[in-house]
Amino acid sequence: MAAQLIDGNALSQLIRTQAGERVLQLQARGVKPGLAVVLVGDNPASQVYVRNKVKACEQVGIHSVMEKYDASLSQAELLARVEALNQDKHIHGILVQLPLPAHIDAQKVIEAIAPEKDVDGFHVASAGALMTGLPGYWPCTPHGCMKMLEHIGYNLRGKHAVVIGRSNIVGKPMAMMLLAQNATVTVCHSATTDLKHHTLQADVIVAAVGKRNILTADMVKPGAVVLDVGMNRDDDGKLCGDVDFEGVRQVASHITPVPGGVGPMTITMLLVNTLASAEQTLHA
Ligand code: GUN
């Protein structure tokens, strides 16, 4: 039997409706949640991502400020903007869109963001908090994946999860989140010698490599749950993930499509993190 689809658009809509209610509660207490999105340069993909983030904010009633700068902006100027946003009481979340131009040290910029406004969850303080189980913002994409597993009622305790990819943005935080839910976690990467050996043992597979068809049906245990974080183009220029969707859906119990799977959840979790930050100001 073909796998059930985990519909990221539908789940996002559900969570965004709840987010809209939280916005109203905050407003009733005199807080208008605000997100600043900073874009440097004219990377076309980044422009689309940023536009979608701003649009999603509008949809739920979060005030968004978009700051667009020429690619020639200096690192010092960008750091000064981040510092100004750190001090801005109307801004609860700061997102500096990556990649940044080559002359800017992205890590330095991320570390300049106040951890309490780090709604991307990329600051070392956020990464450390996730690793140790302390409160902090979780990176949006793996957080969205966890929400999808929660939505289908999946209990990770004692299950074997295989994460393919070890980026700081997805693979590594994903592994930490799965571990925190008592899964046994294997992280595979470009130097893994026999990927199929690992994936065949997995109850849950998260593919986050950025390479088409990294996971095919012969690599998946019947009944496994497959989450596809990839965003690639096929030979016809159509958006596709890391998973051979048509093949794997015949074997898996649940699978996320691309588009309409993990992608919309990433933006939704950004909204959720921004709201959590705004709510924190009530307790400060
Ligand atoms: N570039 C691609 N994805 C992301 C993201 O989630 N956050 C930021 N800041 N930049 C990105």
Side-chain angles (χ1 to χ4, degrees):
M1 203 172 71
Q4 278 187 41
L5 292 194
I6 312 177
D7 183 339
N9 283 322
L11 180 55
S12 278
Q13 209 40 62
L14 198 71
I15 298 172
R16 289 184 195 190
T17 301
Q18 294 162 356
E21 286 159 14
R22 284 167 72 180
V23 169
L24 294 178
Q25 284 164 11
L26 277 162
Q27 282 175 341
R29 301 184 66 180
V31 178
K32 172 104 180 139
L35 174 71
V37 180
V38 181
L39 177 63
V40 185
D42 46 19
N43 180 311
S46 290
Q47 289 181 350
V48 174
Y49 289 143
V50 161
R51 232 186 354 255
N52 287 341
K53 287 168 188 179
V54 168
K55 217 156 57 184
C57 282
E58 278 169 17
Q59 189 198 0
V60 302
I62 293 175
H63 166 64
S64 67
V65 178
M66 157 96 148
E67 296 196 5
K68 249 185 113 189
Y69 297 103
D70 193 84
S72 63
L73 187 79
S74 73
Q75 179 170 301
E77 286 168 320
L78 180 55
L79 289 171
R81 275 316 303 151
V82 168
E83 187 47 37
L85 291 167
N86 283 341
Q87 302 298 332
D88 188 336
K89 293 226 171 343
H90 302 290
I91 294 300
H92 304 97
I94 303 170
L95 181 150
V96 179
Q97 186 67 23
L98 303 178
L100 286 168
H103 66 276
I104 296 177
D105 179 345
Q107 199 56 39
K108 204 162 190 166
V109 175
I110 290 167
E111 300 316 327
I113 297 171
E116 62 273 19
K117 296 191 180 186
D118 175 37
V119 288
D120 251 337
F122 294 169
H123 195 287
V124 282
S126 304
L130 169 59
M131 182 167 238
T132 47
L134 291 169
Y137 296 111
W138 288 4
C140 300
T141 300
H143 196 178
C145 289
M146 294 304 285
K147 282 283 170 201
M148 291 176 124
L149 291 174
E150 186 187 311
H151 181 68
I152 62 166
Y154 196 84
N155 182 2
L156 283 158
R157 186 177 193 85
K159 293 295 198 311
H160 189 174
V162 170
V163 179
I164 316 173
R166 56 174 159 178
S167 70
N168 289 337
I169 293 179
V170 185
K172 282 192 242 175
M174 185 80 248
M176 288 300 132
M177 291 175 202
L178 293 163
L179 189 60
Q181 292 292 315
N182 299 304
T184 300
V185 181
T186 301
V187 181
C188 296
H189 46 78
S190 51
T192 298
T193 49
D194 188 353
L195 178 61
K196 181 176 173 178
H197 166 78
H198 296 288
T199 57
L200 270 176
Q201 297 173 47
D203 301 302
V204 176
I205 304 172
V206 182
V209 175
K211 216 178 198 175
R212 268 172 70 196
N213 294 335
I214 192 88
L215 190 76
T216 48
D218 59 305
M219 300 167 74
V220 178
K221 182 168 79 171
V225 175
V226 176
L227 306 181
D228 190 350
V229 177
M231 284 266 241
N232 312 299
R233 297 272 168 193
D234 69 13
D235 294 335
D236 301 325
K238 237 178 74 192
L239 200 62
C240 67
D242 287 354
V243 175
D244 170 22
F245 180 78
E246 288 307 328
V248 171
R249 73 184 301 190
Q250 303 304 326
V251 186
S253 68
H254 296 79
I255 188 167
T256 63
V258 177
V262 175
M265 291 299 293
T266 296
I267 296 186
T268 297
M269 299 323 294
L270 174 70
L271 304 177
V272 168
N273 280 350
T274 304
L275 286 178
S277 176
E279 286 163 356
Q280 276 301 314
T281 63
L282 295 173
H283 311 297

